[in-house]
Amino acid sequence: MDQFWGGVWYSVIFIALAIGVWGWIALLIKNGPRSLFGYERVTLNQFENAALYKNGTFERVLPSGVHWVRARNRRLTVVDIRPEVLRLDQTSITSDHFAAAMRYIARVQIKDPIAAISVSQNYKDEICARLQLVVKKLGESHSVKELCMDHARFNAQAQELASGAMADAGYECVGFEILQIEPVGTIAEMGSKSVGFTSH
């Protein structure tokens, strides 16, 4: 009887070892040899960067491609660095005291992923707000006639000023274009109507 149970235990141990070895082999085939030493394979598309954090502290930026990082106490925040088109509507007071409704598009792109994700909880909303402030101030320095007649000059100024306003947030304005400007009356005519911002 003892010999029988001894054989059973040997069989159980052999099966457990076989399962364990097979598990290691499967892990090796799936994730590569570095996975055996606690590394994790991370693949980033050509339009992605990732911020790597260790124990809650920023460590480095991973560019697009394949990377091996230690999985222990690590966190990745992936950032899409492709240009993004923002379409915005807002009303601005011009230098000759008209209210002008403006519709425009801005192309923005992340240049510094760490600055972008650190500047605000919602960094896209932050960029929209900065862009709208730039357009508001720029509109105040132009007459309604200048805004309507010289879009090219306004576009160039807006792009340059927007890039400066976004720099510390890790963004760059790579394109700006006025789509439509429509005078909606003088300040006096506006009366108690609100002058504000909207975005799409």
Side-chain angles (χ1 to χ4, degrees):
M1 180 67 84
D2 290 341
Q3 187 175 4
F4 169 78
W5 285 110
V8 170
W9 279 112
Y10 279 124
S11 298
V12 170
I13 292 173
F14 176 79
I15 292 171
L17 287 175
I19 293 174
V21 170
W22 172 248
W24 280 101
I25 292 174
L27 183 65
L28 183 64
I29 294 173
K30 181 180 179 181
N31 297 328
R34 299 186 191 185
S35 62
L36 300 178
F37 302 98
Y39 284 87
E40 180 181 0
R41 180 175 177 171
V42 175
T43 302
L44 299 173
N45 295 319
Q46 62 180 3
F47 52 83
E48 292 177 330
N49 282 181
L52 178 63
Y53 294 85
K54 178 183 179 182
N55 296 321
T57 302
F58 170 71
E59 190 171 84
R60 69 182 188 272
V61 173
L62 302 179
S64 58
V66 177
H67 306 273
W68 289 93
V69 297
R70 283 194 175 276
R72 183 179 177 83
N73 299 324
R74 292 295 201 282
R75 181 174 64 86
L76 285 176
T77 300
V78 179
V79 178
D80 192 323
I81 59 174
R82 288 175 292 184
E84 182 176 0
V85 176
L86 304 176
R87 184 184 293 267
L88 300 166
D89 293 337
Q90 77 181 72
T91 303
S92 180
I93 304 302
T94 63
S95 62
D96 50 353
H97 308 295
F98 275 84
M102 294 187 286
R103 175 170 296 172
Y104 57 93
I105 58 173
R107 294 175 177 84
V108 298
Q109 185 172 16
I110 292 178
K111 294 298 182 182
D112 183 347
I114 298 307
I117 63 180
S118 300
V119 70
S120 176
Q121 195 171 36
N122 190 321
Y123 51 87
K124 291 184 180 179
D125 284 351
E126 176 71 21
I127 292 306
C128 283
R130 295 188 185 204
L131 181 62
Q132 290 172 326
L133 286 174
V134 165
V135 173
K136 177 178 180 291
K137 291 180 180 179
L138 197 54
E140 291 171 349
S141 66
H142 289 72
S143 68
V144 70
K145 181 178 179 180
E146 290 171 335
L147 291 177
C148 292
M149 300 297 293
D150 195 358
H151 286 187
R153 181 166 171 264
F154 186 90
N155 291 343
Q157 290 178 332
Q159 181 178 340
E160 181 181 358
L161 293 175
S163 287
M166 300 174 183
D168 69 312
Y171 268 82
E172 179 184 5
C173 182
V174 296
F176 186 97
E177 183 180 354
I178 287 284
L179 298 178
Q180 182 181 2
I181 295 180
E182 182 180 353
V184 293
T186 64
I187 298 177
E189 291 170 343
M190 291 290 289
S192 61
K193 293 181 181 179
S194 62
V195 177
F197 309 127
T198 60
S199 64
H200 300 292

